[in-house]
Amino acid sequence: MAKGYWVARVDVSNEEAYGRYRELNSIAFRKYGAKFLVRGPAGKVAKGTPRKHNVVLEFKDYETALACYESPEYQAAKIHLDSVGEIDLVIVPGTEP
């Protein structure tokens, strides 16, 4: 079964809101077994607009990745994103092994 991934790129302009978001999103991430594969600044930007924070989360499958996003736990965290800054987030299925 293919895994599921969240790929996020973030430019934080409100550290307080970002801190609250991270505090709350950790509840959902623990519940749905998210594993951080990437969590850090941009490395070499080969093409496109860089962001300060880049995150890749792995889930056991795509359905679990979607369920985490739709969960009440994540929705409680998500309300803080509007004031965090610029954010891109995609949820994608992995390829079959």
Side-chain angles (χ1 to χ4, degrees):
M1 177 176 292
K3 295 188 180 209
Y5 299 90
W6 286 21
V7 180
R9 300 171 53 240
V10 184
D11 278 338
V12 177
S13 59
N14 182 333
E15 292 290 342
E16 183 178 331
Y18 190 55
R20 184 69 178 141
Y21 167 73
R22 288 181 61 189
E23 177 184 318
L24 292 170
N25 75 20
S26 66
I27 297 166
F29 294 163
R30 271 193 307 276
K31 179 177 178 180
Y32 289 88
K35 176 182 175 185
F36 282 93
L37 299 181
V38 174
R39 189 177 196 178
K44 176 177 173 35
V45 178
K47 183 168 175 29
T49 305
R51 299 247 189 241
K52 291 183 181 180
H53 298 279
N54 297 276
V55 177
V56 177
L57 286 169
E58 180 182 77
F59 294 84
K60 73 177 183 175
D61 54 38
Y62 181 63
E63 291 73 23
T64 302
L66 291 175
C68 182
Y69 182 80
E70 297 295 336
S71 72
E73 295 85 0
Y74 185 73
Q75 295 303 303
K78 188 178 138 197
I79 61 173
H80 297 280
L81 284 180
D82 289 338
S83 55
V84 164
E86 294 293 320
I87 299 169
D88 301 313
L89 172 64
V90 294
I91 302 170
V92 296
T95 59
E96 291 293 333

